[in-house]
Amino acid sequence: MTDYNIKIENVVASTKLAEEFDLTKIEAEFEGAEYNKQKFPGLVYRVSNPKAAFLVFTSGKVVCTGAKNVDDVHTVIADMAKKLNGIGIDTLEKPDITVQNIVASADLKAVLNLNAIAIGLGLENIEYEPEQFPGLVYRIDEPKVVVLIFSSGKLVVTGGKSPENCEEGVEVVRQQLDNMGLL
Amino acid sequence: RLRKWQRRIRVSNATERNLAFALSELDRMASALGLPRTVRETAAVVYRKAVDKNLIRGRSIEGVAAAALYAACRQCSVPRTLDEIGEVSRVSRKEIGRTYRFISRELSLKLMPTSPIDYVPRFCSGLSLKGEVQSRGVEILRQASEKELTSGRGPTGVAAAAIYIASILCGERRTQREVADVAGVTEVTIRNRYKELAEELDIEIIL
DNA sequence: GCTTTAAAAAGTAAGCT
DNA sequence: AGCTTACTTTTAAAAGC
């Protein structure tokens, strides 16, 4: 009944794997690695199983994005460290991995009147410009997430640091819409 | 002290010069878009409020002027799209949109999203369609709104589709291309919207 | 502010057959 | 007309312009 099909679509995390990296060397050793210093200061490297994309910087810091869940983030980063070790690059022992952002989708399973929701939530609290984008943007303070609300009843929750944040975000929206009789 | 006065005069001159430039910009853009004097005056009021709240800092006069005009058109129910404002401004559509969001929030303009209905008079006159067709189009849009066929859709596209249908029902048919050109959308969009409207509102279209 | 990554939502757009 | 690709919005980190 409380089935909103909440699904995590993307997890972004950052960590420090070494004190410094020779990106030119990594680019030469890793197949498919892209590095154009003038274009972007980080090296781009994509992996699969689990699927994810890395941004590697000369400072030794790394950004991992595209993972479907938090466990995968740890798995892929551990794999990445192993690969680096494999080409003779040492990595830090216990990297501090920080989840920076989680994107999730959900479905309230009801057709929504976005104009009514805009008024209900307060025009000063939302952004809804159908000429520009079909979704209504609702920023929540607690948890601090942003929810995109569509007329189909589908939602996108982003900005959360944990899966719980995303679930809470969906619940906050569901309850507010319900209280206004717009669900 | 004389210095102090000179500085004030200098600042005053700069402020007046900037305001004069902004107002001439508003006039130039409004003329290019064929907007009535009331809209220019509304835009000038919005711009002055932005100046009074120091919202120009870190932004270009042209950008704020374009955003003020965009907001004024909506306040006066004679909306122009961001693309249309962008065509007569040196500032990009993206910058105008971001500046609009900023001043809209800071000045608490609280504008509802643009209604497709507000585009009907302009599009119809652009197609030389009579008041009867306009009324039909507006009626179709009211029904569409009640049946939740406008949420999340581009206002210009829905308005164009309603006018396309109304022109046929009134025996003054305009082609999808003619309506698309006036509304600034593609024929594909008109087709998608009008099929949805015709089906959901049970309107028989015989071509 | 921009650059780069990934991902969903739904609408609109452009190119090709 | 359809299909495919792609851009609109939001989010966060990284280093540098």
Side-chain angles (χ1 to χ4, degrees):
Chain A
M1 192 59 218
T2 349
D3 179 9
Y4 300 117
N5 299 332
I6 299 180
K7 180 187 177 189
I8 293 180
E9 307 284 357
N10 182 27
V11 178
V12 182
S14 63
T15 188
K16 184 172 182 178
L17 283 181
E19 288 306 323
E20 60 177 326
F21 277 137
D22 178 347
L23 301 186
T24 304
K25 180 183 180 184
I26 297 178
E27 180 189 28
E29 305 276 351
F30 282 14
E31 283 180 33
E34 305 166 23
Y35 180 44
N36 296 300
K37 192 174 184 180
Q38 34 271 90
K39 189 182 178 190
F40 186 67
L43 173 151
V44 179
Y45 185 58
R46 296 177 176 75
V47 299
S48 50
N49 293 285
K51 182 183 177 185
F54 282 92
L55 296 182
V56 185
F57 300 87
T58 57
S59 63
K61 290 185 178 180
V62 157
V63 170
C64 174
T65 184
K68 288 296 183 185
N69 61 66
V70 179
D71 285 341
D72 280 357
V73 168
H74 291 267
T75 301
V76 209
I77 290 179
D79 291 346
M80 177 61 138
K82 289 287 181 292
K83 287 179 188 169
L84 288 168
N85 295 334
I87 62 171
I89 295 177
D90 290 331
T91 55
L92 266 36
E93 286 301 316
K94 265 270 326 118
D96 242 17
I97 299 174
T98 306
V99 171
Q100 305 285 0
N101 177 35
I102 293 181
V103 182
S105 60
D107 189 354
L108 295 181
K109 292 174 177 165
V111 172
L112 307 175
N113 178 330
L114 299 185
N115 275 330
I117 291 175
I119 294 171
L121 293 176
L123 291 175
E124 64 281 0
N125 303 311
I126 62 92
E127 279 180 25
Y128 174 44
E129 298 293 333
E131 173 197 322
Q132 181 96 148
F133 185 69
L136 182 155
V137 182
Y138 184 39
R139 291 184 165 73
I140 300 174
D141 289 324
E142 198 53 50
K144 186 177 176 300
V145 296
V146 174
V147 182
L148 304 184
I149 306 173
F150 297 84
S151 62
S152 64
K154 298 280 186 61
L155 309 175
V156 168
V157 185
T158 186
K161 299 288 189 190
S162 68
E164 291 68 36
N165 286 165
C166 298
E167 290 167 18
E168 291 171 45
V170 171
E171 182 52 24
V172 168
V173 170
R174 185 207 64 75
Q175 195 157 60
Q176 291 202 285
L177 297 187
D178 202 3
N179 289 340
M180 298 186 290
L182 298 175
L183 245 188
Chain B
R1 298 269 307 302
L2 189 56
R3 287 283 184 200
K4 192 173 177 181
W5 277 104
Q6 287 182 323
R7 184 170 189 171
R8 281 191 183 176
I9 291 171
R10 224 179 286 142
V11 170
S12 177
N13 282 342
T15 301
E16 285 173 33
R17 203 188 320 121
N18 288 340
L19 182 58
F21 174 61
L23 295 180
S24 70
E25 261 302 283
L26 287 178
D27 246 11
R28 185 187 61 71
M29 294 189 284
S31 294
L33 292 169
L35 291 166
R37 188 158 284 97
T38 52
V39 179
R40 310 182 193 199
E41 287 166 0
T42 299
V45 169
V46 172
Y47 186 87
R48 285 173 196 275
K49 284 183 180 173
V51 171
D52 291 343
K53 275 211 167 188
N54 293 312
L55 304 184
I56 321 293
R57 285 186 181 180
R59 261 161 280 270
S60 71
I61 292 174
E62 278 187 306
V64 178
L69 186 59
Y70 175 70
C73 288
R74 290 176 55 161
Q75 288 184 312
C76 297
S77 296
V78 286
R80 294 299 99 126
T81 62
L82 280 177
D83 280 333
E84 290 177 300
I85 299 288
E87 283 172 16
V88 300
S89 173
R90 173 171 59 86
V91 186
S92 70
R93 190 227 70 206
K94 187 164 187 172
E95 179 61 25
I96 298 172
R98 125 180 15 166
T99 303
Y100 162 72
R101 288 182 198 175
F102 180 69
I103 66 173
S104 178
R105 184 176 64 247
E106 294 302 314
L107 299 180
S108 301
L109 298 184
K110 295 186 175 61
L111 288 169
M112 275 294 281
T114 306
S115 168
I117 293 177
D118 291 337
Y119 284 107
V120 174
R122 178 156 66 98
F123 292 170
C124 278
S125 64
L127 291 163
S128 301
L129 288 170
K130 295 289 170 43
E132 180 200 348
V133 186
Q134 281 193 42
S135 304
R136 270 277 191 149
V138 169
E139 183 48 36
I140 290 172
L141 289 174
R142 288 195 197 296
Q143 291 178 238
S145 182
E146 285 169 22
K147 290 204 171 181
E148 226 52 72
L149 303 176
T150 62
S151 271
R153 279 97 174 174
T156 54
V158 191
I163 292 171
Y164 173 70
I165 295 174
S167 75
I168 294 174
L169 295 182
C170 293
E172 288 215 45
R173 182 158 195 265
R174 294 290 114 97
T175 65
Q176 292 181 4
R177 170 128 291 297
E178 291 174 316
V179 182
D181 286 341
V182 168
V185 297
T186 64
E187 294 169 282
V188 178
T189 295
I190 301 234
R191 215 168 286 136
N192 290 335
R193 292 299 128 240
Y194 109 78
K195 282 181 180 173
E196 182 176 45
L197 292 179
E199 184 176 339
E200 301 298 317
L201 300 180
D202 295 304
I203 298 174
E204 292 288 330
I205 307 285
I206 287 111
L207 301 180

